[in-house]
Amino acid sequence: MNTISKVFLVLLVTLWSNQILAENLISSACDHTLYKDLCTQTLQSDPESSAATSFEVLAKVALKHATSTATQITELLKGSSGNKGALKDCNENYQNAIEGLTKSARALASKKYNDVNAWVSAAMSAGDSCDDGFKDVGGGKSPVGTRGTTFTGLCSIVLAITNQLK
């Protein structure tokens, strides 16, 4: 076997074994969540997860997706019509959630897992309050729809992974 073939083989085996390790890590992390399918789908679809060597990286990826979902929701709410009071409150709730998730990311980077849990839990509550606000105004349906459920699930995943880090 020539040198190029050997280098290629070593590279291939290294990449393959890293992929298997990342998949096992994702599986292990997601097994402890309430939303296993969402967790697996989210983490496997993110390129950052494929190189993950720790639960911290996976928590960071899940946090990034929760923040992205909350941002999408605030954009959706800006263009919605309907009960302006509920929309305004809902938008504020999700803006607060984004702020909390940003603080969670800093706490995660500092390994302050209790702070991560506090901020993510508060963000989760903000999302729930949004849906409740629409129910309170004549049983109105929230324009957030399934994105709110996804947001709640992603926050729950962050909490589950962070609890494994403690």
Side-chain angles (χ1 to χ4, degrees):
M1 193 183 306
N2 65 29
T3 305
I4 293 176
S5 296
K6 289 178 184 175
V7 170
F8 179 73
L9 181 62
V10 168
L11 184 61
L12 184 64
V13 169
T14 302
L15 291 174
W16 181 68
S17 63
N18 285 347
Q19 183 65 32
I20 288 173
L21 290 174
E23 286 179 18
N24 287 340
L25 190 64
I26 290 170
S27 178
S28 179
C30 292
D31 280 348
H32 294 89
T33 68
L34 296 175
Y35 301 91
K36 291 177 186 169
D37 291 341
L38 176 62
C39 180
T40 303
Q41 180 184 23
T42 300
L43 296 179
Q44 285 181 343
S45 70
D46 192 294
E48 197 173 344
S49 295
S50 64
T53 57
S54 70
F55 281 177
E56 283 179 338
V57 173
L58 298 180
K60 179 182 161 193
V61 170
L63 193 54
K64 174 180 73 173
H65 283 272
T67 304
S68 174
T69 301
T71 301
Q72 290 172 2
I73 291 169
T74 59
E75 291 302 313
L76 171 75
L77 291 169
K78 287 177 186 174
S80 292
S81 61
N83 185 309
K84 293 294 182 189
L87 285 170
K88 182 180 178 225
D89 290 346
C90 192
N91 191 33
E92 277 182 32
N93 285 335
Y94 274 100
Q95 286 176 352
N96 290 337
I98 292 168
E99 188 177 312
L101 294 176
T102 301
K103 290 177 182 178
S104 295
R106 287 193 295 264
L108 181 63
S110 300
K111 300 183 184 322
K112 295 179 179 176
Y113 304 124
N114 287 332
D115 291 352
V116 173
N117 286 348
W119 288 114
V120 172
S121 295
M124 229 169 142
S125 294
D128 291 341
S129 295
C130 174
D131 286 340
D132 291 344
F134 283 98
K135 289 176 190 167
D136 290 344
V137 289
K141 187 174 180 190
S142 169
V144 172
T146 60
R147 288 184 179 157
T149 305
T150 300
F151 174 74
T152 299
L154 290 167
C155 287
S156 175
I157 290 164
V158 172
L159 291 173
I161 295 173
T162 303
N163 284 333
Q164 293 177 68
L165 289 167
K166 287 182 176 182

